[in-house]
Amino acid sequence: MNGSSPSPPDSINIWRTWALTVTYEAGEYTEQKFKAEKTGGGPVIPSPNLDTDLVMACDRLADVLIKASKNPIQMQMDIARYSKLISPKDTGHNEHREARLLERCPPGHEGKRLYLPDALTDTTQKEIREATDLLSPSLEKSVRADGNWRTNQRLFNRGSEDVGATPGCINLSPAWFQQGHENVSDPEVSASLKGPSCENILKAIARPAAIASAALRVMHPEQYWAGLRTLSNLGNIAVSKDLPQMPEALQYWASVFNTLSIISNREPPIIETTCPLLNASTFSPPWGTILMLG
């Protein structure tokens, strides 16, 4: 019988008051359960610090990860290499350019990917919708007529009825690096978390953030530990330099990723591509909210 309350490595100092402590225990429980089910080991006992909903969510995640590991998707191209070769000038509409890129990106050792359908419980999906509602004011302000490729008004469709999630694109981070501001040497709390709602927002996304982190614990442990180590170091820097609002934001931050991008779009626009491996198909994710972690 396995327990699930080990301590993090000595190089990582997670403060006991941080929400990240629960995330860490959820990750260890998921990883142990994944290994036990894969090898036929004994039952894994979750930490008493994990509530019932989070344990159920981790159980679902472990089951889906087991199924995915037995049925990996073999990509028809080396996505990692492809992403390094393209530039902002590549629109996906130049057939000759796409053909040349594909010739340089044959399937390689990085060609297998895991697909995790139904990884989120109904409770977790409900929490994501509720958190999106809480972020509606920030999402609404983010969309502009002269916005960039992420926030331009023409990329967001409000639909025929004024219902559902508010369209928009925002970033949440306890330590956002201000690109383009050479005079800023230290990261700052992202704008969406600088208001009085910071604690409520981060508590609302805590469980979804913990589940995404637990998935990373199994799929890419090196990146998982790097994320924990980065946040641990940020905590020390935030206190030693007395960085505004960062210690408070880190206290409630529950993800090993240091940034969460939220893209909310009621009726996503059709995105076309001439890439033959994608069958020149269109991409339109279902209605709702896309969470991008990085």
Side-chain angles (χ1 to χ4, degrees), residues 119-187:
L120 301 180
T121 62
D122 291 342
T123 298
T124 304
Q125 295 181 49
K126 179 181 178 182
E127 288 175 337
I128 292 175
R129 288 193 293 268
E130 291 175 347
T132 305
D133 291 340
L134 190 62
L135 290 164
S136 290
S138 297
L139 288 167
E140 187 171 8
K141 291 179 182 178
S142 70
V143 179
R144 302 177 181 177
D146 59 345
N148 58 24
W149 62 274
R150 299 179 61 186
T151 59
N152 194 291
Q153 187 174 8
R154 64 184 179 85
L155 300 178
F156 294 87
N157 302 318
R158 290 190 167 272
S160 57
E161 298 181 5
D162 189 19
V163 295
T166 302
C169 177
I170 61 175
N171 297 306
L172 302 180
S173 175
W176 182 259
F177 179 71
Q178 303 293 324
Q179 297 185 23
H181 297 264
E182 296 181 0
N183 61 322
V184 179
S185 58
D186 295 312

Side-chain angles (χ1 to χ4, degrees), residues 38-144:
K38 192 172 183 179
T39 60
V44 180
I45 307 301
S47 165
N49 295 326
L50 305 181
D51 62 50
T52 302
D53 286 334
L54 185 51
V55 171
M56 293 176 64
C58 291
D59 288 343
R60 166 79 71 86
L61 176 61
D63 291 341
V64 172
L65 285 167
I66 286 290
K67 294 178 182 178
S69 67
K70 295 178 180 179
N71 300 280
I73 297 174
Q74 180 68 45
M75 303 294 291
Q76 299 182 56
M77 60 189 295
D78 190 333
I79 296 295
R81 178 169 172 77
Y82 181 85
S83 66
K84 294 177 182 179
L85 293 177
I86 60 175
S87 72
K89 295 182 180 179
D90 289 305
T91 63
H93 293 273
N94 186 325
E95 294 186 16
H96 179 66
R97 168 66 174 167
E98 289 298 317
R100 290 184 59 189
L101 285 171
L102 293 177
E103 289 178 359
R104 300 176 62 184
C105 304
H109 68 281
E110 298 181 83
K112 291 185 177 180
R113 293 292 184 268
L114 298 183
Y115 176 52
L116 307 178
D118 300 322
L120 301 180
T121 62
D122 291 342
T123 298
T124 304
Q125 295 181 49
K126 179 181 178 182
E127 288 175 337
I128 292 175
R129 288 193 293 268
E130 291 175 347
T132 305
D133 291 340
L134 190 62
L135 290 164
S136 290
S138 297
L139 288 167
E140 187 171 8
K141 291 179 182 178
S142 70
V143 179
R144 302 177 181 177

